[in-house]
Amino acid sequence: MYQFRQVEHLRRFLDSERAAGRSIGFVPTMGALHAGHLALIEHSEMENGCTVCSIFVNPTQFNDPADLEKYPRTEGTDLYLLYGANCRVTFLPEVEGIYPPENLAGPDFQFGALDKVMEGAFRPGHFAGVAQVVRRLLDIVEPDALYMGQKDYQQFCIIRSMIDQLGLPVRLVMVPTVRGNDGLALSSRNVRLSPEGKIRATAIFRALNFIRDRKSEYPPGRLEAMAREQLEQAGLRPEYVKITDPKTLQPLERFDETESAIVCVAAWLEGVRLIDNLLL
Ligand code: AMP
């Protein structure tokens, strides 16, 4: 496994990989790796000669300084997991490598209605930060393919829009959400839940399934309210439960408005903010 912290060193190495005919697959992460991240790595390895995994806790996407501070950092274990997953290249840049003083002002993207709802509404500035860091990382790695999880569905839509706006020659691949046996979506933030909290948190996946199973019986608004109630009963504090058009992320009033739908949830538990979604 090749490990880089310097942008220029990584760039030079990847030039030699391309010259050797290896396609580059890229998996950006914020570390505290789990089986969800490793699924992205495996997907990239199936499709590319060289998989690059970056670990960078991006300060510009945290709207809450306490969340940034509390974000788990487990570099030693992360590298061990990546080694076990046969990841070819790791990239662990310093903040100055990603945001050099001379390169601070990134382009402004127009996401239209995509970043006004759900995560965009509750975490002001979050997606501007995500787009900024992914733009910068793509500029450095210049991958053939970029792998992102369905777990962060709205983030995926934002990055797809950014790639379109810039006309970047990169293939964006969505990898399904990896869950524990109890249905809880794996997340770096789960380590901050108590054992009891981890059990309570499974109410999220149950509420998502409840909506999927009842969508022929009730309109979206009613199902959202029922799911919120279930989450509250389980001791969670839902921030939103939204049934939306998977392309535009705009709320649906009726299921027959679109071909498909997605339900997205954010809820607080024990001071931890959890998100999940399910295509309906
Ligand atoms: P993060 O480290 O949280 O920024 O996530 C890095 C990438 O891993 C993002 O593309 C996430 O969507 C993806 N990811 C996180 N958790 C999961 C999961 N449980 N299943 C699949 N992908 C995930």
Side-chain angles (χ1 to χ4, degrees):
M1 187 163 81
Y2 298 89
Q3 192 183 317
F4 297 93
R5 291 184 192 267
Q6 303 290 330
V7 171
E8 279 319 311
H9 296 174
L10 174 74
R11 275 205 168 117
R12 230 172 293 145
F13 178 81
L14 292 178
D15 281 344
S16 69
E17 291 289 278
R18 275 184 280 269
R22 294 193 184 92
S23 67
I24 313 281
F26 179 42
V27 179
T29 80
M30 298 206 298
L33 300 183
H34 49 66
H37 297 111
L38 298 183
L40 306 189
I41 304 275
E42 278 163 29
H43 210 109
S44 169
E45 285 172 345
M46 279 191 296
E47 298 180 348
N48 301 281
C50 174
T51 290
V52 181
C53 177
S54 66
I55 297 179
F56 179 65
V57 183
N58 173 36
T60 70
Q61 73 186 70
F62 284 84
N63 51 315
D64 173 3
D67 191 27
L68 172 61
E69 187 150 319
K70 280 187 284 180
Y71 201 84
R73 288 165 172 86
T74 57
E75 189 181 301
T77 324
D78 290 348
L79 291 172
Y80 179 77
L81 288 172
L82 291 172
Y83 179 75
N86 285 320
C87 185
R88 187 164 168 83
V89 178
T90 64
F91 178 43
L92 292 87
E94 304 291 339
V95 174
E96 304 76 58
I98 296 298
Y99 300 121
E102 70 278 9
N103 196 1
L104 261 182
D108 261 350
F109 301 107
Q110 298 304 326
F111 296 117
L114 276 186
D115 68 346
K116 310 287 183 295
V117 293
M118 301 193 288
E119 294 302 283
F122 283 93
R123 302 183 68 187
H126 170 64
F127 285 128
V130 169
Q132 181 188 30
V133 75
V134 176
R135 165 82 183 105
R136 174 78 177 126
L137 287 167
L138 290 177
D139 197 39
I140 294 168
V141 178
E142 296 184 69
D144 298 279
L146 169 65
Y147 297 83
M148 303 191 82
Q150 186 191 325
K151 162 85 173 17
D152 300 278
Y153 185 81
Q154 190 174 9
Q155 168 173 283
F156 183 90
C157 297
I158 292 284
I159 297 304
R160 182 170 53 197
S161 165
M162 183 199 80
I163 288 172
D164 286 351
Q165 289 177 52
L166 293 169
L168 296 179
V170 59
R171 190 163 59 85
L172 178 62
V173 180
M174 184 160 79
V175 177
T177 304
V178 177
R179 302 177 179 283
N181 291 334
D182 54 8
L184 179 61
L186 300 189
S187 161
S188 306
R189 290 187 164 89
N190 293 355
V191 297
R192 287 168 44 207
L193 294 173
S194 70
E196 192 211 332
K198 284 195 181 122
I199 297 170
R200 280 180 191 276
T202 59
I204 297 178
F205 190 51
R206 278 199 302 282
L208 294 175
N209 280 300
F210 173 84
I211 290 181
R212 191 192 52 194
D213 296 343
R214 301 291 198 291
K215 78 185 188 55
S216 58
E217 291 169 47
Y218 301 100
R222 179 86 183 98
L223 285 172
E224 288 169 0
M226 288 159 102
R228 284 186 84 105
E229 215 175 291
Q230 291 173 10
L231 293 173
E232 278 161 10
Q233 272 167 12
L236 287 93
R237 186 162 61 77
E239 213 164 50
Y240 61 78
V241 177
K242 290 276 182 225
I243 298 172
T244 70
D245 176 331
K247 287 204 189 78
T248 64
L249 300 184
Q250 297 314 294
L252 292 182
E253 275 176 26
R254 296 190 326 272
F255 280 108
D256 60 10
E257 273 173 52
T258 53
E259 265 174 37
S260 58
I262 185 165
V263 52
C264 302
V265 170
W268 287 90
L269 178 64
E270 300 179 338
V272 183
R273 190 171 180 280
L274 301 168
I275 61 168
D276 201 350
N277 65 76
L278 198 65
L279 281 161
L280 300 175

